Amino acid sequence: MSDNSLPLVISAPEPRTLELIFTPPSLARLRAGYRIVETTDSGIAALPDETLAGACYIIGQPPISGELLARMQSLRCIFNVETNLINNMPYETLFERGIHVVTTGAVFAEPVAELGLALAINLARGIVDADLAFREGKELWGGDGNRTARLISGADVGIIGFGDLGKALNRLLSGFRTRTRVFDPWLPPSMLIEHGVEPASLDEVLSGSDFVFVVASVTSENQGFLGADAFAKMRKGAAFILLSRAGVVDFEALMEAVRSKHIVAASDVFPEEPLGLDHPVRALPGFLRSAHRAGALDVAFKRMGDMVLEDMDLMDRGLPPIRCKRAERETVSRMRSKPVDRN
């Protein structure tokens, strides 16, 4: 097969790179099986008409106008490898033309779930605080160091949101014999029951849980929906673990709930990222902090490339993508997550 007969791919994966999301063998396969045109988000519109007209796939999530999309007559799929579906392209037109928009976000489910479980265990057993006290020669031995400790095993657990991350977290929790209630208004109760969890209202999850994990995406309907009233409904001393996006909580109210010692909390995400050095959460006792690092493992990034290659192979044979998660017509316009600002 000559180079000109290979499917054409526009590569604009920033903030990722091809070297980040593909292993060397997988990247070699990509370059051997496709013509790759590498550019930037802002550079796509300046590509020659011939390149745009022949492009079958886009690896990335660049802004695409209706006019630019009209020049892409061969486009089959956009592979969003940043994983946040943002409102920067004409989704309705994409759907009307049968062009798939897919995300590789599922690769982060297991890494984030593992860190979320670690945060919960730390809140239950005070591991970080005990280590810091030990370093200062102020450690408490035996039972004296466990006055507020508790078990996750057999605990009441609530999960808010039950997508890929919620399911991965539930698999990890199954070994702890927890009673797990889930609130997810986008899923039918039977699907939750099939996963061995109890469908529940938001109030039931908040008031009936020793540990509450928040793994819901930010949408146009749920921004800031977990506020002071929600935290007041939680059991005194319960643990609140935020893993998805800070936009779903009133962060000031969350800090106040921790400051008043009504609950303890942990978060891998924050209202602004990177967080200002003077932000009060940095010095808040009872609040465990992680710098949006839960999913950022090299093994997760490399799985992205494998997923992209497998779905491209399927579409090359006239089949739909299976490995990546497809954006849905009814929900994609509601998504409000945004990438971390690293500038």
Side-chain angles (χ1 to χ4, degrees):
M1 185 180 289
S2 66
D3 283 348
N4 286 338
S5 62
L6 295 174
L8 193 152
V9 178
I10 294 175
S11 172
E14 55 189 72
R16 319 283 187 222
T17 64
L18 292 181
E19 289 72 22
L20 176 68
I21 62 179
F22 288 91
T23 63
S26 294
L27 186 54
R29 281 178 52 204
L30 177 72
R31 295 193 183 283
Y34 300 88
R35 289 179 290 151
I36 312 298
V37 176
E38 298 190 51
T39 185
T40 62
D41 282 359
S42 59
I44 288 184
L47 292 174
D49 286 339
E50 181 181 2
T51 299
L52 293 172
C56 296
Y57 306 112
I58 295 175
I59 299 177
Q61 44 288 324
I64 297 176
S65 66
E67 185 276 331
L68 180 59
L69 182 60
R71 297 163 66 192
M72 299 180 180
Q73 291 303 307
S74 302
L75 189 62
R76 302 174 192 166
C77 185
I78 299 171
F79 289 92
N80 182 321
V81 293
E82 202 285 328
T83 73
N84 287 296
L85 290 166
I86 57 179
N87 191 27
N88 67 344
M89 55 187 69
Y91 290 107
E92 278 299 323
T93 305
L94 288 163
F95 291 131
E96 288 170 4
R97 287 180 49 186
I99 299 169
H100 297 291
V101 180
V102 301
T103 173
T104 56
V107 301
F108 295 131
E110 284 186 349
V112 176
E114 286 194 8
L115 187 74
L117 179 58
L119 293 173
I121 291 174
N122 182 82
L123 290 176
R125 303 302 296 271
I127 299 168
V128 169
D129 287 344
D131 175 70
L132 293 173
F134 211 106
R135 298 183 193 198
E136 297 174 0
K138 299 177 181 178
E139 73 276 7
L140 298 174
W141 293 83
D144 289 338
N146 280 327
R147 289 171 184 163
T148 61
R150 53 191 157 153
L151 293 177
I152 291 182
S153 297
D156 292 322
V157 169
I159 301 177
I160 299 174
F162 206 67
D164 293 325
L165 175 50
K167 295 179 180 69
L169 180 61
N170 183 54
R171 290 193 294 271
L172 293 179
L173 288 168
S174 64
F176 289 85
R177 309 180 309 282
T178 59
R179 178 186 179 183
T180 303
R181 299 180 181 90
V182 171
F183 170 70
D184 191 324
W186 286 12
L187 295 179
S190 61
M191 183 174 291
L192 300 178
I193 294 169
E194 288 171 2
H195 284 273
V197 300
E198 299 178 26
S201 68
L202 179 60
D203 283 355
E204 288 170 336
V205 166
L206 292 169
S207 63
S209 302
D210 302 307
F211 299 86
V212 175
F213 294 88
V214 180
V215 294
S217 298
V218 185
T219 72
S220 55
E221 288 106 4
N222 72 0
Q223 295 182 76
F225 81 108
L226 295 170
D229 290 345
F231 303 128
K233 292 173 183 175
M234 293 179 64
R235 294 176 177 175
K236 184 171 177 57
F240 183 89
I241 301 98
L242 177 58
L243 297 172
S244 49
R245 284 293 184 269
V248 299
V249 306
D250 178 336
F251 212 81
E252 291 295 328
L254 173 59
M255 289 192 296
E256 182 54 35
V258 174
R259 191 178 293 115
S260 68
K261 300 185 179 179
H262 180 64
I263 62 173
V264 293
S267 185
D268 186 54
V269 291
F270 298 90
E272 302 88 30
E273 298 181 2
L275 196 65
L277 295 178
D278 59 347
H279 197 286
V281 78
R282 290 183 178 271
L284 182 58
F287 202 117
L288 186 62
R289 299 149 288 259
S290 174
H292 205 144
R293 51 185 291 274
L297 276 69
D298 188 64
V299 64
F301 290 129
K302 293 301 188 287
R303 287 174 184 166
M304 287 184 175
D306 293 338
M307 292 171 69
V308 169
L309 280 173
E310 287 183 327
D311 273 351
M312 286 169 66
D313 177 67
L314 288 171
M315 285 183 282
D316 288 343
R317 294 185 282 123
L319 299 171
I322 298 295
R323 290 292 288 122
C324 299
K325 187 173 184 177
R326 281 185 277 181
E328 298 292 347
R329 180 190 296 266
E330 294 81 1
T331 57
V332 66
S333 63
R334 303 183 189 182
M335 307 308 288
R336 293 294 185 272
S337 293
K338 62 180 180 179
V340 178
D341 182 5
R342 291 187 173 85
N343 294 330

